[in-house]
Amino acid sequence: MASRSAEPVVDVVPLLERQKVGRFWLILFAVSWVVTFLDGFDLQIISFAGRYIQRSFALSNTELGTLGTIGVLGTLAGSILMGYLGDLTGRKPAIVVSAAGFGVFTLAFAVAQDYPQLIALRFATGVFLGGALPLIWALVTEFAPLRLRSTSVVITMIGYSFGSAAGGPLSNLLIPSFGWQSVFVAGGLASLLAVIPVVLFLPESVKFLAQRDLRQHRIAPILRRALPETAFADGTRFTVGTGPRQRTSFTPAALFRGRTLAVVTPLIWLAYLSSSAIVFYLAFWGPILNERIGFSVSQAATLAAWASVAGAAGQLVAGRFIDRRGAGMIALLPTLAVPCLLAIGLLPLSAAPYIVILLVSHALIIGGHGGVISVTGIFYPPAIRANGAGWATSVAKLGAMLGPWLAGFALDHGVGVRGTFFVFAVFPIVMVVALVALGRVQRGLPAGADGSMLTPVSTKEDRTAV
């Protein structure tokens, strides 16, 4: 045992590095999965219910497309606002606000009476949907040991992929019997219920509390949940590394401060924007394109759901390689996705080859997207990590809005359904360039730096209980 001197100081980083996967992590993953599953479901359900909403309100194609875009615009605002809230009050309170918010407004969307109400409620839903994911990423990243950092975020994002996939079969099950409103009622109620396990079981980030010097009395109980064998003396002060505590207000300039972030932030934004463009093109237009290719409405929805499952599998496999090889490893996935997209766009494929290549392309594209997400916040210090992830997510929403619009523009100008896959092959190419450059920067970071692949050497004091 170390000396019980007045106010002993403990660095939380070496403690978190020696964690083993156990009950604490199972609970953390389970609660995170609930939030990300419902985030994915509530965001993507508009793609499956869109045709029914269009008929119910006699909407034009442009109005329907605007309804899809306005939700993404809301997520752009939400990722900034909720990221700011997360860095001001903590990850957990902001996640509670986000989950409750998108639950309330998803439920309210089901009782909208006209098109302006649909627009307003979808935007409001998007604000809270956009805030939840960056906060979850920041929280999981700040608990994860270096060896599991990317994998933990990828595992968390599998919940989002399954939530997106659930929209297809649930729409086929509920809408024919109960109307399009039923899927929004189901999503809204489930999201409100999800607030309960978040409040009861989700821990606050100890790195955030230590670096901001907030609520120090809460850190030891949380650490004992993660490391049951560790004890701390009364009055112990917790820090993050040897750097000073950060209490200053956040400004966007902080994301570019220093030689590393000045390079890293633009590269992350470019990769994330490009990835979001193709992912949201596939998510929004996928069921419609499958139907126009020749599948029935139910077959098209089912195929879109299986494509999301394939994407989840791609994310899980990618995570382990990223932890071992770094951010540059992500570039392999979009590289392999390019020939898949070109094959769909240029070759006269029958149904079976089309399905196989489509599923493979989703595994590669969504796997790469999850990889980008997993490294979005790791290069920023904990005090601004939620803002870093939030701003990157907001910039990525520009790509998310571009993707569906660009596909519609291409279709209206005679490109053809399969031709859109050819057009969107440019985005993985941009991803490859940005990710290779990001990998080079990461490999040059010293041990202990945010985003480094090298584990800092712990001291004797760090390795012993206080």
Side-chain angles (χ1 to χ4, degrees):
M1 291 286 291
S3 173
R4 292 178 178 268
S5 58
E7 291 197 353
V9 177
V10 173
D11 183 356
V12 302
V13 175
L15 292 175
L16 295 177
E17 282 299 321
R18 74 184 195 210
Q19 290 179 93
K20 297 178 181 179
V21 176
R23 183 173 181 270
F24 174 82
W25 273 96
L26 293 178
I27 293 174
L28 179 59
F29 279 141
V31 179
S32 298
W33 263 30
V34 169
V35 177
T36 57
F37 178 94
L38 292 168
D39 192 291
F41 180 86
D42 289 349
L43 182 62
Q44 295 299 336
I45 194 61
I46 193 76
S47 301
F48 297 100
R51 298 178 189 83
Y52 303 96
I53 295 173
Q54 184 176 30
R55 288 199 294 266
S56 180
F57 289 89
L59 304 181
S60 67
N61 289 324
T62 299
E63 287 173 326
L64 178 61
T66 301
L67 186 60
T69 300
I70 199 69
V72 177
L73 183 62
T75 64
L76 187 154
S79 54
I80 294 177
L81 293 175
M82 292 298 108
Y84 175 79
L85 181 64
D87 280 341
L88 182 66
T89 66
R91 290 24 169 160
K92 181 175 179 176
I95 292 170
V96 170
V97 171
S98 296
F102 67 69
V104 167
F105 286 106
T106 298
L107 195 60
F109 189 86
V111 296
Q113 299 298 308
D114 53 36
Y115 184 64
Q117 290 184 17
L118 290 175
I119 289 291
L121 290 170
R122 191 60 185 167
F123 177 83
T125 305
V127 169
F128 295 97
L129 288 170
L133 290 181
L135 293 165
I136 289 289
W137 304 333
L139 179 63
V140 172
T141 298
E142 287 164 3
F143 273 110
L146 181 63
R147 67 186 186 278
L148 298 174
R149 187 172 54 196
S150 294
T151 300
S152 62
V153 176
V154 168
I155 289 174
T156 302
M157 280 304 297
I158 290 174
Y160 180 89
S161 296
F162 282 139
S164 301
L170 196 63
S171 296
N172 290 340
L173 178 66
L174 294 180
I175 292 178
S177 299
F178 303 103
W180 64 265
Q181 296 91 341
S182 59
V183 292
F184 291 92
V185 171
L189 291 176
S191 299
L192 290 176
L193 289 173
V195 174
I196 297 174
V198 171
V199 171
L200 294 179
F201 302 114
L202 196 68
E204 182 56 271
S205 166
V206 293
K207 284 186 178 179
F208 169 80
L209 294 175
Q211 190 161 55
R212 294 294 296 269
D213 197 20
L214 298 172
R215 301 185 290 278
Q216 283 271 338
H217 66 281
R218 293 179 54 189
I219 298 177
I222 297 172
L223 285 174
R224 282 194 289 267
R225 290 168 58 187
L227 295 158
E229 74 283 0
T230 305
F232 303 99
D234 293 339
T236 297
R237 306 293 296 177
F238 297 92
T239 64
V240 177
T242 58
R245 295 188 178 99
Q246 298 184 22
R247 298 186 182 183
T248 57
S249 300
F250 169 81
T251 63
L255 302 179
F256 300 88
R257 190 168 295 142
R259 182 182 303 176
T260 298
L261 292 185
V263 176
V264 163
T265 294
L267 291 175
I268 289 175
W269 287 7
L270 180 60
Y272 202 176
L273 186 150
S274 301
S275 179
S276 295
I278 189 168
V279 165
F280 275 78
Y281 149 69
L282 293 171
F284 188 83
W285 284 98
I288 299 172
L289 295 179
N290 293 336
E291 186 179 347
R292 291 184 181 180
I293 284 174
F295 296 94
S296 67
V297 174
S298 61
Q299 288 174 333
T302 301
L303 180 55
W306 277 110
S308 295
V309 173
Q315 288 178 320
L316 184 59
V317 172
R320 295 305 296 138
F321 287 103
I322 298 167
D323 281 325
R324 296 173 182 175
R325 303 293 297 275
M329 185 66 188
I330 308 170
L332 178 63
L333 299 174
T335 299
L336 297 175
V338 172
C340 293
L341 296 172
L342 295 179
I344 296 175
L346 298 175
L347 301 179
L349 302 173
S350 60
Y354 170 78
I355 292 173
V356 171
I357 296 177
L358 183 70
L359 294 179
V360 171
S361 64
H362 271 74
L364 296 169
I365 291 168
I366 300 179
H369 186 63
V372 173
I373 289 171
S374 74
V375 300
T376 296
I378 65 175
F379 294 95
Y380 302 103
I384 64 169
R385 184 164 292 150
N387 270 301
W391 273 83
T393 303
S394 294
V395 171
K397 298 307 179 186
L398 300 176
M401 290 186 285
L402 172 64
W405 174 86
L406 180 60
F409 180 85
L411 290 168
D412 286 342
H413 287 76
V415 170
V417 172
R418 293 181 184 270
T420 59
F421 289 89
F422 176 81
V423 171
F424 275 81
V426 68
F427 291 102
I429 295 174
V430 175
M431 286 178 64
V432 171
V433 175
L435 290 168
V436 169
L438 184 63
R440 290 176 61 90
V441 173
Q442 187 181 32
R443 287 193 296 273
L445 294 176
D450 291 295
S452 173
M453 296 174 61
L454 304 176
T455 304
V457 179
S458 60
T459 64
K460 179 180 179 182
E461 288 76 14
D462 294 326
R463 292 192 298 266
T464 60
V466 177

mmCIF file of all heavy atoms in Angstrom, residues 48 51-52 55 168 172 287-288 290-291 294-303:
data_model
loop_
_atom_site.group_PDB
_atom_site.id
_atom_site.type_symbol
_atom_site.label_atom_id
_atom_site.label_comp_id
_atom_site.label_asym_id
_atom_site.label_seq_id
_atom_site.Cartn_x
_atom_site.Cartn_y
_atom_site.Cartn_z
ATOM 1 N N PHE A 48 -37.769 4.049 -44.358
ATOM 2 C CA PHE A 48 -38.708 2.950 -44.594
ATOM 3 C C PHE A 48 -40.162 3.416 -44.572
ATOM 4 O O PHE A 48 -41.005 2.839 -45.253
ATOM 5 C CB PHE A 48 -38.501 1.862 -43.540
ATOM 6 C CG PHE A 48 -37.143 1.232 -43.576
ATOM 7 C CD1 PHE A 48 -36.150 1.614 -42.690
ATOM 8 C CD2 PHE A 48 -36.841 0.255 -44.524
ATOM 9 C CE1 PHE A 48 -34.887 1.037 -42.731
ATOM 10 C CE2 PHE A 48 -35.583 -0.326 -44.571
ATOM 11 C CZ PHE A 48 -34.599 0.069 -43.678
ATOM 12 N N ARG A 51 -42.430 6.421 -47.978
ATOM 13 C CA ARG A 51 -43.453 6.266 -49.026
ATOM 14 C C ARG A 51 -44.852 6.422 -48.449
ATOM 15 O O ARG A 51 -45.728 7.020 -49.055
ATOM 16 C CB ARG A 51 -43.322 4.893 -49.681
ATOM 17 C CG ARG A 51 -41.997 4.646 -50.383
ATOM 18 C CD ARG A 51 -41.990 3.217 -50.941
ATOM 19 N NE ARG A 51 -40.680 2.849 -51.445
ATOM 20 C CZ ARG A 51 -39.692 2.388 -50.677
ATOM 21 N NH1 ARG A 51 -39.880 2.268 -49.374
ATOM 22 N NH2 ARG A 51 -38.530 2.071 -51.209
ATOM 23 N N TYR A 52 -45.062 5.877 -47.258
ATOM 24 C CA TYR A 52 -46.379 5.952 -46.630
ATOM 25 C C TYR A 52 -46.685 7.382 -46.181
ATOM 26 O O TYR A 52 -47.824 7.845 -46.296
ATOM 27 C CB TYR A 52 -46.429 4.997 -45.431
ATOM 28 C CG TYR A 52 -46.124 3.567 -45.783
ATOM 29 C CD1 TYR A 52 -44.837 3.045 -45.630
ATOM 30 C CD2 TYR A 52 -47.122 2.722 -46.279
ATOM 31 C CE1 TYR A 52 -44.550 1.722 -45.955
ATOM 32 C CE2 TYR A 52 -46.849 1.396 -46.605
ATOM 33 C CZ TYR A 52 -45.556 0.907 -46.439
ATOM 34 O OH TYR A 52 -45.283 -0.401 -46.763
ATOM 35 N N ARG A 55 -47.721 9.481 -49.237
ATOM 36 C CA ARG A 55 -49.111 9.292 -49.644
ATOM 37 C C ARG A 55 -50.077 9.923 -48.643
ATOM 38 O O ARG A 55 -51.083 10.525 -49.029
ATOM 39 C CB ARG A 55 -49.419 7.801 -49.792
ATOM 40 C CG ARG A 55 -48.772 7.156 -51.009
ATOM 41 C CD ARG A 55 -49.451 5.848 -51.357
ATOM 42 N NE ARG A 55 -49.257 4.846 -50.310
ATOM 43 C CZ ARG A 55 -48.279 3.940 -50.317
ATOM 44 N NH1 ARG A 55 -47.393 3.934 -51.316
ATOM 45 N NH2 ARG A 55 -48.175 3.061 -49.351
ATOM 46 N N GLY A 168 -36.365 -1.927 -41.238
ATOM 47 C CA GLY A 168 -36.979 -2.652 -42.344
ATOM 48 C C GLY A 168 -38.004 -3.675 -41.900
ATOM 49 O O GLY A 168 -39.195 -3.577 -42.237
ATOM 50 N N ASN A 172 -42.213 -3.526 -42.085
ATOM 51 C CA ASN A 172 -43.015 -4.556 -42.757
ATOM 52 C C ASN A 172 -44.052 -5.162 -41.805
ATOM 53 O O ASN A 172 -45.150 -5.540 -42.231
ATOM 54 C CB ASN A 172 -42.111 -5.661 -43.297
ATOM 55 C CG ASN A 172 -41.256 -5.205 -44.462
ATOM 56 O OD1 ASN A 172 -41.567 -4.210 -45.122
ATOM 57 N ND2 ASN A 172 -40.163 -5.905 -44.722
ATOM 58 N N PRO A 287 -33.369 1.216 -49.912
ATOM 59 C CA PRO A 287 -34.628 0.511 -50.175
ATOM 60 C C PRO A 287 -35.266 0.896 -51.498
ATOM 61 O O PRO A 287 -35.824 0.049 -52.208
ATOM 62 C CB PRO A 287 -35.510 0.926 -48.981
ATOM 63 C CG PRO A 287 -34.553 1.322 -47.911
ATOM 64 C CD PRO A 287 -33.381 1.934 -48.626
ATOM 65 N N ILE A 288 -35.173 2.193 -51.857
ATOM 66 C CA ILE A 288 -35.782 2.669 -53.101
ATOM 67 C C ILE A 288 -35.032 2.123 -54.308
ATOM 68 O O ILE A 288 -35.647 1.667 -55.294
ATOM 69 C CB ILE A 288 -35.797 4.210 -53.119
ATOM 70 C CG1 ILE A 288 -36.629 4.730 -51.940
ATOM 71 C CG2 ILE A 288 -36.355 4.730 -54.449
ATOM 72 C CD1 ILE A 288 -36.551 6.229 -51.756
ATOM 73 N N ASN A 290 -33.184 -0.609 -54.450
ATOM 74 C CA ASN A 290 -33.442 -2.053 -54.552
ATOM 75 C C ASN A 290 -34.788 -2.332 -55.215
ATOM 76 O O ASN A 290 -34.921 -3.248 -56.029
ATOM 77 C CB ASN A 290 -33.414 -2.683 -53.157
ATOM 78 C CG ASN A 290 -32.030 -2.664 -52.529
ATOM 79 O OD1 ASN A 290 -31.020 -2.606 -53.235
ATOM 80 N ND2 ASN A 290 -31.984 -2.709 -51.214
ATOM 81 N N GLU A 291 -35.772 -1.528 -54.862
ATOM 82 C CA GLU A 291 -37.097 -1.699 -55.452
ATOM 83 C C GLU A 291 -37.078 -1.391 -56.945
ATOM 84 O O GLU A 291 -37.674 -2.111 -57.759
ATOM 85 C CB GLU A 291 -38.095 -0.793 -54.729
ATOM 86 C CG GLU A 291 -39.541 -0.988 -55.166
ATOM 87 C CD GLU A 291 -40.501 -0.093 -54.417
ATOM 88 O OE1 GLU A 291 -40.084 0.500 -53.397
ATOM 89 O OE2 GLU A 291 -41.661 0.013 -54.848
ATOM 90 N N GLY A 294 -35.728 -4.085 -59.172
ATOM 91 C CA GLY A 294 -36.625 -5.195 -59.478
ATOM 92 C C GLY A 294 -37.133 -5.979 -58.293
ATOM 93 O O GLY A 294 -37.933 -6.902 -58.442
ATOM 94 N N PHE A 295 -36.720 -5.621 -57.069
ATOM 95 C CA PHE A 295 -37.192 -6.315 -55.882
ATOM 96 C C PHE A 295 -38.538 -5.738 -55.428
ATOM 97 O O PHE A 295 -38.841 -4.568 -55.696
ATOM 98 C CB PHE A 295 -36.168 -6.185 -54.745
ATOM 99 C CG PHE A 295 -34.850 -6.842 -55.038
ATOM 100 C CD1 PHE A 295 -33.794 -6.121 -55.586
ATOM 101 C CD2 PHE A 295 -34.656 -8.193 -54.767
ATOM 102 C CE1 PHE A 295 -32.573 -6.720 -55.858
ATOM 103 C CE2 PHE A 295 -33.434 -8.802 -55.039
ATOM 104 C CZ PHE A 295 -32.391 -8.067 -55.584
ATOM 105 N N SER A 296 -39.330 -6.559 -54.746
ATOM 106 C CA SER A 296 -40.592 -6.067 -54.203
ATOM 107 C C SER A 296 -40.316 -5.123 -53.043
ATOM 108 O O SER A 296 -39.178 -5.031 -52.559
ATOM 109 C CB SER A 296 -41.455 -7.232 -53.723
ATOM 110 O OG SER A 296 -40.858 -7.862 -52.600
ATOM 111 N N VAL A 297 -41.355 -4.404 -52.570
ATOM 112 C CA VAL A 297 -41.172 -3.458 -51.473
ATOM 113 C C VAL A 297 -40.633 -4.162 -50.238
ATOM 114 O O VAL A 297 -39.683 -3.702 -49.598
ATOM 115 C CB VAL A 297 -42.503 -2.749 -51.149
ATOM 116 C CG1 VAL A 297 -42.345 -1.872 -49.909
ATOM 117 C CG2 VAL A 297 -42.957 -1.907 -52.332
ATOM 118 N N SER A 298 -41.218 -5.294 -49.862
ATOM 119 C CA SER A 298 -40.769 -6.020 -48.672
ATOM 120 C C SER A 298 -39.375 -6.610 -48.882
ATOM 121 O O SER A 298 -38.543 -6.599 -47.967
ATOM 122 C CB SER A 298 -41.751 -7.125 -48.311
ATOM 123 O OG SER A 298 -41.862 -8.076 -49.359
ATOM 124 N N GLN A 299 -39.099 -7.119 -50.095
ATOM 125 C CA GLN A 299 -37.767 -7.648 -50.381
ATOM 126 C C GLN A 299 -36.713 -6.545 -50.327
ATOM 127 O O GLN A 299 -35.607 -6.752 -49.811
ATOM 128 C CB GLN A 299 -37.749 -8.311 -51.760
ATOM 129 C CG GLN A 299 -38.495 -9.628 -51.833
ATOM 130 C CD GLN A 299 -38.572 -10.157 -53.260
ATOM 131 O OE1 GLN A 299 -38.545 -9.385 -54.238
ATOM 132 N NE2 GLN A 299 -38.683 -11.473 -53.401
ATOM 133 N N ALA A 300 -37.064 -5.373 -50.856
ATOM 134 C CA ALA A 300 -36.131 -4.252 -50.852
ATOM 135 C C ALA A 300 -35.807 -3.819 -49.430
ATOM 136 O O ALA A 300 -34.646 -3.548 -49.092
ATOM 137 C CB ALA A 300 -36.718 -3.074 -51.638
ATOM 138 N N ALA A 301 -36.832 -3.769 -48.563
ATOM 139 C CA ALA A 301 -36.605 -3.392 -47.161
ATOM 140 C C ALA A 301 -35.777 -4.447 -46.440
ATOM 141 O O ALA A 301 -34.881 -4.121 -45.651
ATOM 142 C CB ALA A 301 -37.944 -3.187 -46.457
ATOM 143 N N THR A 302 -36.071 -5.710 -46.699
ATOM 144 C CA THR A 302 -35.320 -6.791 -46.061
ATOM 145 C C THR A 302 -33.863 -6.788 -46.495
ATOM 146 O O THR A 302 -32.952 -6.972 -45.682
ATOM 147 C CB THR A 302 -35.954 -8.149 -46.390
ATOM 148 O OG1 THR A 302 -37.312 -8.162 -45.930
ATOM 149 C CG2 THR A 302 -35.187 -9.290 -45.727
ATOM 150 N N LEU A 303 -33.621 -6.562 -47.790
ATOM 151 C CA LEU A 303 -32.249 -6.508 -48.288
ATOM 152 C C LEU A 303 -31.501 -5.337 -47.665
ATOM 153 O O LEU A 303 -30.317 -5.472 -47.298
ATOM 154 C CB LEU A 303 -32.258 -6.380 -49.815
ATOM 155 C CG LEU A 303 -30.892 -6.306 -50.505
ATOM 156 C CD1 LEU A 303 -30.020 -7.493 -50.133
ATOM 157 C CD2 LEU A 303 -31.082 -6.234 -52.033
#
